[in-house]
Amino acid sequence: MIGIKKTAMKRQHKLILDAFLLGIVGAGAAQLFNFLLHYISSFFLVTIAGYTPPALPTEGGRLVEAVGSHGLWLIPVVTTIGGLISGFLVYALAPEAEGHGSDTVVKSFHHLKGYLRPRVAPIKTIASAITIGSGGAAGREGPTALITAGVGSIYADFGRRSDEDRRLLILMGMAAGLAAIFRSPVGTAFFAIEVLYGGMEFEASALLYTMVASIVAYGLNGLFAGFTPLFIVPDSLLLPTPSEYGWYLVLGILSGIVATVLPLAFYGMRDLFHKIPCPPHIKPAIGGLVLGLLALGLPQVLGGGYGWIQLAIDGKLGLWLLCMLPLAKIIAMSLTVSSGGSGGVFAPSLYVGAMLGGALAMVFHLPTAPFVVVGMSAVFGAAGRVPIATLLMVVEMTGGYQLLVVTALAVSISYFIQYLLSDHLSYQCLYEAQVEGRAHSPAHHAEYMLAALHILNAHEVQLADPGEHIKLQQLLKTGIPIDLSEEKQLRMGRVAVGAAGKTIAEIMDTLPEEKRKLARIVAVFRGRHSLLSYDTLRLQPEDQVLCIGSAEIWDELAKFLIFAAHGEKK
């Protein structure tokens, strides 16, 4: 037992060091991506199209929109060219880099053991910078999340880390990149562990590591970009009066309805593009063309739109514009990302919520800034099924801590309404790869199976016949393979003399390359203890090993494990 505790402590210390290193990577990735985005945007939008959107003063920009002498007519040209270049880059080199990157990370965590191809990170960096820089209505968070998670996956490859560690490393990378991009160390640490699940569950065991990674990334990024929140909220912003609480309740209801529509529009547009009979490389260009035509009338929908959000906070947008922009931005985001373009959905969703909150405030003559801030949280928190993380992120991004209570109220109402309304819909959330909870994640199936086996091993369990009891471990010891799905079998063996002292990884590496994927050691029974398998676990002479594999793999494993003959009891 002492040895097991020492091994666990050593692993924890190593993961904390990993989190520190990935925090450095996250800060660097954010700086690199912002640098590329600035110059690509200057080339496409400013130089070619002659259009300069308002940009955040906290990022060195000016809240001024500038239109060149030839008007907006070249915007469809640059959005189409940007979509064309991005489409060819992604679909020719790394198709998994298309769309919003956070969903790719979630899918990798649940279904791919945290693995992301090494080429994904650089391709995603360039393709997303071109998509957004040419006017695509997408955000920076998805690309940055995928880029830094990809680095975490590469780092795991070099260190020959276990699948469990790899999953943690991609979450650390995602948290670090987002913290640097949004200047939100706490909210992004929670985002990385909350976005995995559609229900109210967290990957709590990863929180310490995502927190370390995000704080390191935030601190280092602050040395270059400053520590001021992204959005400037007026100092005169006061605590809401009791009479205003009812309006925040109304905003929560409206946000829940909009958050229900958002995934339907987003994935409905994707289904529409799938039906277009042309190569996928071309479809982002088609989306870019339609987006450019929409921008001829409403250029406010281009890009991430942070400058326009700041103008809404400042109360400088008219009512008609505030009423039109939520729907227009949903369409613009869908045309950009659902067509196969590369970019995130966080920033556009914040934009939708900001304009919705601003419109409500202006219609009923309420203070604009707090309703814009609360609307940002309420829409995305529900649409992305990340209410806690979004609440923290938006508060950190705006510095509006005095709005914490009313924001929590609106987000809770919005999340509850969205959950109810979307229950029977085909698309319930912006993150399609989410699963309902830990029990539904393939990442934890072995863990739950091990816990069940431990319980079965310790107690007699009633099976089919009420009068007959049997221990599952005894059943496995008879040598009878238990059939599973996909032609796999569950079987238990004893460690052979020659295998004692070898690690799990050493045993698996001796198998022919074409057969390594056919077998998996999922658990080791050592005396009264049940151990979840990991690559560096070293086998001992009396260990019982639980395996999942195809029938043709048992002869290969028989070099290291002794399987009882059918019917023989050990």
Side-chain angles (χ1 to χ4, degrees), residues 86-380:
S86 174
F88 270 94
L89 273 174
V90 168
Y91 287 102
L93 300 175
E96 62 266 49
E98 64 93 14
H100 55 117
S102 301
D103 205 46
T104 304
V105 179
V106 174
K107 179 181 178 181
S108 175
F109 179 90
H110 290 308
H111 303 288
L112 303 176
K113 303 178 182 179
Y115 179 75
L116 293 165
R117 285 202 297 170
R119 69 175 65 180
V120 170
I123 296 301
K124 188 69 175 180
T125 302
I126 298 170
S128 299
I130 292 173
T131 297
I132 303 169
S134 61
R140 295 175 286 180
E141 89 294 334
T144 309
L146 184 54
I147 292 163
T148 48
V151 173
S153 179
I154 295 170
Y155 179 71
D157 283 338
F158 278 112
R160 296 174 61 86
R161 307 294 285 273
S162 66
D163 294 340
E164 185 180 3
D165 282 0
R166 184 194 298 276
R167 289 187 178 100
L168 290 175
L169 289 168
I170 67 171
L171 296 184
M172 295 178 209
M174 177 163 65
L178 294 177
I181 281 286
F182 293 125
R183 306 182 191 180
S184 167
V186 178
T188 52
F190 274 89
F191 180 86
I193 66 170
E194 186 178 24
V195 73
L196 301 171
Y197 304 110
M200 282 306 300
E201 288 201 39
F202 299 86
E203 192 65 24
S205 61
L207 180 58
L208 171 64
Y209 311 117
T210 59
M211 189 70 75
V212 171
S214 61
I215 289 173
V216 171
Y218 171 76
L220 288 177
N221 185 74
L223 297 178
F224 299 96
F227 294 95
T228 307
L230 278 181
F231 299 103
I232 301 171
V233 179
D235 294 334
S236 58
L237 186 62
L238 302 175
L239 287 172
T241 63
S243 62
E244 291 175 351
Y245 272 70
W247 292 114
Y248 288 106
L249 181 64
V250 172
L251 179 57
I253 296 171
L254 293 176
S255 297
I257 296 171
V258 171
T260 305
V261 173
L262 195 52
L264 288 176
F266 183 78
Y267 288 109
M269 185 72 75
R270 183 194 63 179
D271 293 343
L272 181 62
F273 270 97
H274 282 172
K275 295 177 182 178
I276 298 177
C278 70
H281 309 65
I282 307 297
K283 293 178 182 180
I286 298 173
L289 174 61
V290 180
L291 169 66
L293 296 176
L294 174 63
L296 292 178
L298 286 171
Q300 294 86 358
V301 300
L302 295 171
Y306 281 166
W308 294 109
I309 294 177
Q310 183 63 61
L311 289 172
I313 291 173
D314 297 340
K316 295 181 179 179
L317 299 182
L319 178 59
W320 72 272
L321 198 56
L322 289 169
C323 292
M324 292 181 64
L325 287 179
L327 177 60
K329 191 66 172 183
I330 291 174
I331 296 172
M333 176 186 74
S334 301
L335 288 169
T336 301
V337 185
S338 301
S339 63
S342 185
V345 297
F346 181 80
S349 301
L350 291 186
Y351 182 107
V352 171
M355 300 307 160
L356 177 67
L360 178 67
M362 191 161 289
V363 167
F364 294 101
H365 306 289
L366 300 165
T368 305
F371 279 85
V372 171
V373 172
V374 174
M376 291 163 65
S377 292
V379 169
F380 181 72

Side-chain angles (χ1 to χ4, degrees), residues 537-556:
L537 177 62
R538 200 168 294 278
L539 297 178
Q540 297 181 6
E542 299 300 319
D543 285 349
Q544 300 280 345
V545 179
L546 183 65
C547 309
I548 293 177
S550 300
E552 62 265 32
I553 202 66
W554 301 127
D555 288 340
E556 297 287 346

